[in-house]
Amino acid sequence: DEFVEGKKRALNNEELRGLHLFRTKARCMNCHHGPLFSDNLFHKGVFSSSDAGLYKVTQKETDIGKFKTPSLRDVMKTGPWFHNGSASHMLDILFAYNKLSPSPRSSSTQMLYLTNKEIGAVMAFLNAISTPPLEFTSPILPE
């Protein structure tokens, strides 16, 4: 937020590189954009799943396997990830997206060819958009 507001030093060089990759080569921004880093739309799941997704609500065959694009705001603090919680490590997710083969189910799914260094930069950016939790003091309850 500070970077968007003009504070150029809010992101370090590695985070800036990650932002650039997020917007370009990694193509994350195709679905994860705006203030919440989500297009708020439903898309076919990238990885195979037996979960019917949006179809459970709409009963439309075209909605089988569709899930809402999650927000990436504070993403590093919200695991496990995917609609069913099957991913417990963000690096595993980034490596999986990087090695995806083209899928007939989704025109946006293709290999990214990111290097390990580039994946590290994207990870740095994801950490930069994830704030530490606010300090919370539990109230003292009467006995």
Side-chain angles (χ1 to χ4, degrees), residues 3 11 29-30 35 53 55 58 82 86 98 113 116 123 126 131-132:
F3 181 79
L11 298 177
M29 206 160 180
N30 289 349
Y55 172 80
T58 65
F82 291 134
S86 63
N98 192 43
Y113 302 104
N116 286 347
M123 186 81 150
L126 293 176
T131 59

Side-chain angles (χ1 to χ4, degrees), residues 12-19 21-22 26 76 90-92 94-95 98 114-128:
N12 65 35
N13 286 341
E14 184 74 353
E15 294 163 346
L16 280 171
R17 188 164 179 251
L19 169 59
L21 289 162
F22 184 92
M76 299 307 289
M90 183 56 70
L91 269 178
D92 292 340
L94 294 175
F95 284 129
N98 192 43
L114 296 171
T115 66
N116 286 347
K117 189 172 181 177
E118 289 171 328
I119 288 172
V122 171
M123 186 81 150
F125 174 68
L126 293 176
N127 274 302

Side-chain angles (χ1 to χ4, degrees), residues 28-75:
C28 308
M29 206 160 180
N30 289 349
C31 298
H32 298 281
H33 55 268
L36 295 177
F37 295 95
S38 173
D39 61 7
N40 287 311
L41 299 175
F42 288 84
H43 301 278
K44 290 264 186 190
V46 184
F47 301 100
S48 64
S49 170
S50 59
D51 192 327
L54 184 60
Y55 172 80
K56 289 180 181 178
V57 176
T58 65
Q59 299 297 303
K60 294 180 183 177
E61 284 192 34
T62 56
D63 289 339
I64 293 174
K66 283 187 177 180
F67 298 93
K68 191 171 187 180
T69 303
S71 169
L72 293 185
R73 182 66 76 165
D74 293 330
V75 68

